[in-house]
Amino acid sequence: MDRMFRVLGFWTGIFAVMFYLGHMEQTALLFFAQTGFFILLSYLKLSERMYIYVFGAYLAIFFAGFTYWTTFMMVPGATH
């Protein structure tokens, strides 16, 4: 299970680089933070159950933040 968190770290790192190259610095910083979180977590040698709990908490925080952002922060029909 720890290898899967390294895979998550790898892909969030790839996304972070792509966001940075696309001049989306705030999003890139968010993804660099997630990359560090996943890589550090993968080396803690937790039990498989604990990895599942951490991933479930990560998903709950993401969905709550995403729902808040899309409901209250996005302006419908707005462009750059």
Side-chain angles (χ1 to χ4, degrees):
M1 186 58 88
D2 55 343
R3 291 182 186 171
M4 288 311 298
F5 275 84
R6 288 187 200 120
V7 170
L8 283 170
F10 170 78
W11 284 111
T12 54
I14 294 295
F15 273 75
V17 170
M18 292 296 141
F19 282 130
Y20 183 75
L21 292 175
H23 305 290
M24 301 173 72
E25 287 81 13
Q26 290 178 335
T27 310
L29 287 175
L30 176 66
F31 272 77
F32 278 127
Q34 289 181 30
T35 299
F37 171 73
F38 286 138
I39 296 298
L40 288 174
L41 194 64
S42 71
Y43 286 105
L44 289 180
K45 299 292 183 193
L46 301 173
S47 68
E48 188 168 343
R49 176 178 286 180
M50 194 62 196
Y51 278 122
I52 295 297
Y53 287 154
V54 168
F55 188 67
Y58 168 77
L59 287 181
I61 291 168
F62 167 77
F63 286 132
F66 183 76
T67 302
Y68 174 80
W69 181 264
T70 56
T71 304
F72 300 112
M73 303 300 282
M74 289 183 71
V75 178
T79 59
H80 293 317

